[in-house]
Amino acid sequence: MPPVTRSEGQAGTVLALAKAGDIRGAIAAGEAVLAGGSPDAPLALFVGMLCCRAGDLQRGIPHLRRAVAAAPRELGAKVELARALLASGALVEADEVAAPLASVATPAGREMQRIRAHALSRQTRAEEAGVLFEQLTRADAGDFESWDGLGVARLAAGDYAGATAALQRATALRPTASAYWINLARAYAAARDFASAVEAARKAVARVPEDAAAQLELGRGLTGLDRDDEALVALATARAAAPGNAEILAEIGDLEFTCKAPERAGISFRAALAVRPDLHPALLGLAKVLERLNQTTELLALLDEAEALGVSPEATALMRAQALRNEGKFDEALAAARRSPADHDAVARAQLIGDLADRLGDTDAAFAAFSEANDRLAEAAVGSAQAASGYLETFRRIREILSPAWYASWGPPAPASRRPAPLFIFGFPRSGTTLIDTMLSGHPDAAVIEEGPAIDRVAALAGPVEHIASLSAADIERLRARYFEEVDKLSPDAGSRLIVDKHPLALGNAPLLHRLFPDARFIFVERHPCDVVLSCFITSAQMDSRVASFFSFTGTARLYDRVLAFWERCTTVLPIAVHTIRYETLIADPETELRRLASFAGLKWTDKLLAHQSSASARGYIGSPSYAQVAEPIYTRAKGRWRRYREHMAPVMPILRPWIERMGYDVD
């Protein structure tokens, strides 16, 4: 038997230490041998693998490279090197090592093909990666890792149906892998199937409750379902679990902003910037928060901070344009907005360019920019056309149901409410409802709820509109209790003050609200139909079934026609107390109109009703797209704006003309 050499003995020591669980000692011993110049490829491979398994990729990769160099025909060393390079983010080198050996013919070749596909996918070469993953799944239908990779690649390529199909297969094959459920939740959310996204995310959370990505996807799905209070709980959990992950923190901030929690969003964006001061999505997100909260001084300070950090002028151009607009420097703001990259928040960019061009009187440029913003929104909002059509049909259907005979079939009158009936503010969006609720928010005896979920949640609990006629006294009490429960969440200090619930398009639930609160009063705000429809089209809004029609100019006009026809039927059939306010009259003579409104609402007159700018500042966040305008002095620049767009209005005039004439507005 030949004698054992010194290096072989030391290699045995390394192996013994590793078997005993002393990984650090094994690595140190192995590196000592290799430092002596030993060309021992197996030892270099073993030490490299130990380092990588211990999580120290940067220490292990040089040893793996040495193993490959010492034994270039050793396939195992190349596989380990490719794996480590992929895990470290060295994607180009990982692809270079894996590509020559990628094949579906052998287990090692399939592993190299998977590594290569992952490397391509993470380099945003999704279509190439998808081809490789498809080959792998055809070769082995039970390859759950490749099904997951295929789903991720298809998702990146915009194939949402293909992504969900692949990820469903991955989760079926490996239901314990929380990462697969997270990816499936992302695919469902991208396809706007938020109910399925929540279900998938909950399965991930059940397996790893402290996983920030799982909680993030749960929050995303709940946000899509308008269950903002639940979403905020999940997002808070995600934030606590991801203190050092700037990208996830920025995504959390975006969703918190969508949930109408800008203060929370600001915390998340600032946390992301504490980790990565130059993270553009976080900078833009924080700027969005500051702009929405009308904190122009802080916004300007953020711009200075970004520039001091070396962020490119192009990256901050959109933020600077917002700040310049707030200062009234419209020409400079427009130039800055046009300098911003087209792919940096494309909707906000187009929207801002449109607003500035409109202020500067360039209606053609403005309308083109607003059209671009809506086209972008429609592209991002999968199923928006179907949502718009469905919502339009809803108003047609309930208008047909609402007849004198149906009203006469209602059960006994509702018992008196233990709490005062609310005051509801309705009207087509952009009619002036936000200005009115901001004015009323200054009254000490009013508690204003702005577009909260109370009406929608009570309506969902009540069921189809046909059920209104058969509601029992117990049903009514239960639904009232749920309404006030939701209101109290948003305004816990309301006490005995009058609840003022502003929700423009919730007027579709007017029959139910009259059934629950027969003595409730309704304010309906009207404005020139052309100005309303134009304003809705040119105002970016968060996609849901109510605003999907606004992505199309003709669709906006059709929805206006359908909603006004329904409201006309409501006021004809139902004995509801309605006070109509005309926007143009309100801005021309605020005090006279507000005195009439206060009298109708049963509120004592106070000059605080006229201090809407102070009321807007006190409210902080305003969820309506009118948030910026209501913080300004009352202005008339939007009155009659449609006349400047007369040429663009031509296609919708046949739809709007009957309402213009019926309301007594000018047609020309």
Side-chain angles (χ1 to χ4, degrees):
M1 182 175 183
V4 177
T5 65
R6 180 172 178 272
S7 63
E8 289 175 335
Q10 290 174 321
T13 301
V14 174
L15 181 60
L17 289 169
K19 286 183 176 180
D22 184 3
I23 303 302
R24 289 185 179 180
I27 292 172
E31 287 181 332
V33 176
L34 295 171
S38 171
D40 192 334
L43 180 60
L45 173 61
F46 186 57
V47 173
M49 290 173 62
L50 288 178
C51 291
C52 293
R53 300 299 187 270
D56 193 345
L57 296 169
Q58 299 308 316
R59 188 174 180 179
I61 287 172
H63 295 306
L64 296 176
R65 288 195 182 108
R66 183 173 183 174
V68 170
R73 295 184 179 180
E74 176 55 47
L75 183 57
K78 292 182 179 179
V79 170
E80 291 297 332
L81 175 59
R83 283 176 180 161
L85 291 168
L86 178 67
S88 72
L91 305 178
V92 174
E93 188 180 355
D95 182 23
E96 290 173 350
V97 173
L101 300 170
S103 165
V104 296
T106 65
R110 288 194 290 274
E111 175 65 7
M112 284 302 216
Q113 181 144 328
R114 268 192 296 272
I115 292 170
R116 185 172 187 229
H118 282 300
L120 292 172
S121 183
R122 289 168 57 184
Q123 292 179 75
T124 67
R125 295 164 65 180
E127 292 184 2
E128 297 173 72
V131 171
L132 297 179
F133 281 126
E134 285 176 357
Q135 293 172 354
L136 288 163
T137 56
R138 283 197 297 268
D140 180 2
D143 183 355
F144 49 81
E145 183 181 350
S146 293
W147 281 113
D148 176 68
L150 177 59
V152 172
R154 286 175 173 174
L155 180 59
D159 178 6
Y160 303 141
T164 54
L167 291 164
Q168 285 169 348
R169 189 69 177 270
T171 54
L173 289 168
R174 193 67 176 268
T176 58
S178 62
Y180 296 176
W181 289 109
I182 291 170
N183 289 335
L184 180 57
R186 288 179 180 141
Y188 279 132
R192 304 195 71 80
D193 182 357
F194 294 113
S196 296
V198 167
E199 182 180 353
R202 289 198 189 283
K203 290 181 179 178
V205 168
R207 286 159 177 79
V208 191
E210 69 280 3
D211 189 326
Q215 294 286 354
L216 172 65
E217 293 311 316
L218 178 58
R220 195 190 312 278
L222 291 167
T223 300
L225 294 174
D226 294 325
R227 290 158 60 179
D228 292 352
D229 46 355
E230 297 174 71
L232 289 171
V233 172
L235 294 172
T237 305
R239 188 201 301 153
N245 192 319
E247 287 76 12
I248 283 185
L249 288 167
E251 285 193 71
I252 292 169
D254 280 332
L255 290 171
E256 288 171 328
F257 188 83
T258 301
C259 290
K260 300 180 181 179
E263 292 84 1
R264 291 193 186 193
I267 292 171
S268 295
F269 288 132
R270 291 186 188 281
L273 292 171
V275 179
R276 279 193 52 192
D278 62 343
L279 184 63
H280 293 174
L283 283 166
L284 294 170
L286 182 56
K288 183 169 59 177
V289 168
L290 296 175
E291 197 265 341
R292 175 54 66 94
L293 294 176
N294 294 311
Q295 296 178 3
T296 305
T297 301
E298 290 82 355
L299 175 57
L300 290 169
L302 178 64
L303 292 177
D304 292 340
E305 180 183 340
E307 291 176 2
L309 290 167
V311 177
S312 69
E314 291 77 15
T316 60
L318 194 61
M319 292 187 288
R320 183 162 296 282
Q322 291 168 333
L324 290 167
R325 179 190 61 180
N326 293 347
E327 292 185 312
K329 300 175 181 178
F330 302 134
D331 286 301
E332 294 178 58
L334 182 57
R338 285 175 169 160
R339 283 199 304 272
S340 65
D343 58 348
H344 279 194
D345 202 345
V347 172
R349 178 182 183 273
Q351 193 72 34
L352 183 58
I353 289 172
D355 176 65
L356 291 165
D358 175 76
R359 289 173 185 258
L360 292 168
D362 188 348
T363 54
D364 288 340
F367 197 82
F370 292 133
S371 297
E372 179 188 347
N374 280 289
D375 288 344
R376 295 266 192 164
L377 283 167
E379 289 172 8
V382 178
S384 62
Q386 295 87 339
S389 177
Y391 192 56
L392 203 66
E393 174 63 18
T394 296
F395 275 100
R396 185 201 63 77
R397 188 178 70 84
I398 58 178
R399 181 174 179 269
E400 287 187 353
I401 293 169
L402 186 55
S403 66
W406 180 66
Y407 175 63
S409 74
W410 286 15
S417 173
R418 289 190 291 270
R419 292 177 63 168
L423 173 69
F424 297 103
I425 301 179
F426 290 156
F428 204 80
R430 308 298 292 164
S431 294
T433 55
T434 302
L435 176 59
I436 291 173
D437 82 19
T438 302
M439 289 171 162
L440 286 173
S441 70
H443 199 291
D445 296 330
V448 175
I449 306 297
E450 188 190 41
E451 301 186 26
I455 296 175
D456 288 342
R457 290 184 180 175
V458 169
L461 190 61
V465 67
E466 294 90 340
H467 292 184
I468 293 174
S470 60
L471 289 176
S472 67
D475 292 330
I476 290 171
E477 289 288 355
R478 176 172 57 91
L479 293 170
R480 281 178 181 165
R482 179 59 185 273
Y483 174 82
F484 286 118
E485 177 186 335
E486 294 294 338
V487 164
D488 289 341
K489 290 178 184 177
L490 297 172
S491 185
D493 59 346
S496 60
R497 290 185 293 161
L498 173 67
I499 299 297
V500 179
D501 194 338
K502 188 270 285 190
H503 208 319
L505 285 180
L507 58 77
N509 292 307
L512 172 63
L513 297 173
H514 178 63
R515 183 75 173 112
L516 300 183
F517 304 104
D519 55 342
R521 286 159 289 189
F522 296 80
I523 294 173
F524 185 78
V525 188
E526 66 182 25
R527 181 184 176 192
H528 196 297
C530 289
D531 274 332
V532 170
V533 168
L534 177 63
S535 187
C536 285
F537 179 71
I538 69 178
T539 303
S540 177
Q542 182 182 341
M543 158 63 184
D544 66 21
S545 61
R546 292 194 177 110
V547 302
S549 292
F550 298 169
F551 300 157
S552 157
F553 200 30
T554 302
T556 306
R558 286 176 179 158
L559 180 60
Y560 181 88
D561 176 60
R562 193 67 59 86
V563 168
L564 268 288
F566 166 76
W567 182 249
E568 185 178 63
R569 178 69 62 87
C570 278
T571 57
T572 300
V573 173
L574 303 176
I576 57 179
V578 181
H579 177 67
T580 299
I581 295 180
R582 182 161 288 200
Y583 170 78
E584 292 85 355
T585 306
L586 175 66
I587 63 173
D589 188 358
E591 182 171 349
T592 297
E593 290 303 307
L594 287 171
R595 283 186 181 276
R596 292 172 180 165
L597 171 57
S599 176
F600 172 77
L603 296 168
K604 292 182 180 180
W605 174 257
T606 170
D607 288 342
K608 291 181 179 179
L609 289 170
L610 296 170
H612 78 282
Q613 285 181 275
S614 298
S615 298
S617 297
R619 291 175 72 180
Y621 176 78
I622 297 174
S624 156
S626 308
Y627 65 92
Q629 292 92 325
V630 298
E632 300 179 21
I634 289 178
Y635 58 86
T636 60
R637 69 170 182 269
K639 178 183 176 182
R641 173 165 51 187
W642 70 272
R643 289 184 172 85
R644 294 193 284 113
Y645 290 84
R646 190 183 302 276
E647 181 180 339
H648 303 285
M649 297 290 305
V652 301
M653 288 303 290
I655 301 172
L656 301 180
R657 185 178 293 272
W659 294 108
I660 297 170
E661 295 174 347
R662 197 172 308 179
M663 293 179 181
Y665 283 107
D666 293 333
V667 178
D668 298 319

